[in-house]
Amino acid sequence: MSHSMKNKITELIEPSFSHEIESPLRICQSSTSKVDLPTSVNLAKKYFSPIKLAILLDVVSSVNIDPRVILKGTNLDPKDILNPFTMTSSLQFLIAARNAVNIYQDSNLGLLVGKQLHITNYGMYGYSLLCSESLRQGFDNGMKFHRLSNGILNIHWHEHDGMDLSFI
């Protein structure tokens, strides 16, 4: 992971951080609809399944890193991650990700975690993408329901002349 990416993660989760991010985009325009986005994200609110944390712990455990070290500062125990009824927050994931980035020796951590994440790991968000009748509808659903995926960054897409696609 690049030095600048480590700095961004660290900036997001410093103790002085207010646990809310102001959204620079209030409305995103897609080719077919406008999607209202929340103006802030409460990083400490526990809305999410622990699946992303479970996959992160699985990846680091494969190179003999103790999961408790990765979970330091999250107020979570490895047993909590195995419980599908545990609710986690974006902040807990960001803290664990920062810990993993600081300890994991290779630069491919994100790729290894992403490789193990499947669309079915995203619950209703993944289901909405699977039910899309077209790529365009899939992108629209991706934007509309992005917050269900623990998305803390804004995404948007634009269609150019009916052919080119930009997905950010």
Side-chain angles (χ1 to χ4, degrees):
M1 181 165 284
S2 73
H3 182 66
S4 64
M5 182 62 98
K6 284 183 183 181
N7 288 342
K8 290 273 186 202
I9 291 172
T10 301
E11 287 172 17
L12 282 176
I13 54 182
E14 285 301 315
S16 62
F17 188 66
S18 70
H19 304 305
E20 288 194 13
I21 299 174
E22 287 301 316
S23 172
L25 297 174
R26 296 190 192 279
I27 297 177
C28 280
Q29 175 71 44
S30 75
S31 66
T32 57
S33 64
K34 287 186 178 181
V35 178
D36 291 314
L37 296 175
T39 57
S40 66
V41 176
N42 184 341
L43 294 178
K45 187 77 173 168
K46 295 181 180 182
Y47 292 113
F48 307 103
S49 141
I51 188 67
K52 289 181 183 178
L53 282 167
I55 291 172
L56 175 65
L57 294 181
D58 185 51
V59 169
V60 298
S61 294
S62 71
V63 292
N64 299 318
I65 296 174
D66 185 350
R68 291 174 297 198
V69 173
I70 302 303
L71 293 174
K72 184 179 178 182
T74 65
N75 295 320
L76 292 168
D77 184 87
K79 288 183 278 184
D80 296 330
I81 304 304
L82 297 175
N83 181 350
F85 297 106
T86 297
M87 299 303 285
T88 63
S89 69
S90 297
L91 182 62
Q92 288 172 311
F93 180 78
L94 288 170
I95 290 169
R98 178 191 59 188
N99 293 342
V101 165
N102 288 335
I103 294 169
Y104 194 79
Q105 297 299 310
D106 292 322
S107 61
N108 64 346
L109 178 62
L111 293 173
L112 294 174
V113 170
K115 185 177 175 183
Q116 289 190 34
L117 276 171
H118 302 282
I119 197 160
T120 55
N121 296 133
Y122 286 93
M124 293 306 290
Y125 179 70
Y127 184 68
S128 75
L129 297 177
L130 287 172
C131 291
S132 301
E133 294 180 8
S134 67
L135 187 59
R136 176 181 287 128
Q137 186 182 24
F139 285 158
D140 283 340
N141 285 344
M143 285 178 36
K144 184 175 182 181
F145 301 115
H146 181 62
R147 300 273 299 126
L148 293 175
S149 73
N150 196 1
I152 57 173
L153 301 174
N154 291 322
I155 62 171
H156 64 279
W157 73 280
H158 296 278
E159 187 175 1
H160 307 281
D161 299 326
M163 299 180 133
D164 298 329
L165 218 47
S166 298
F167 191 69
I168 304 169

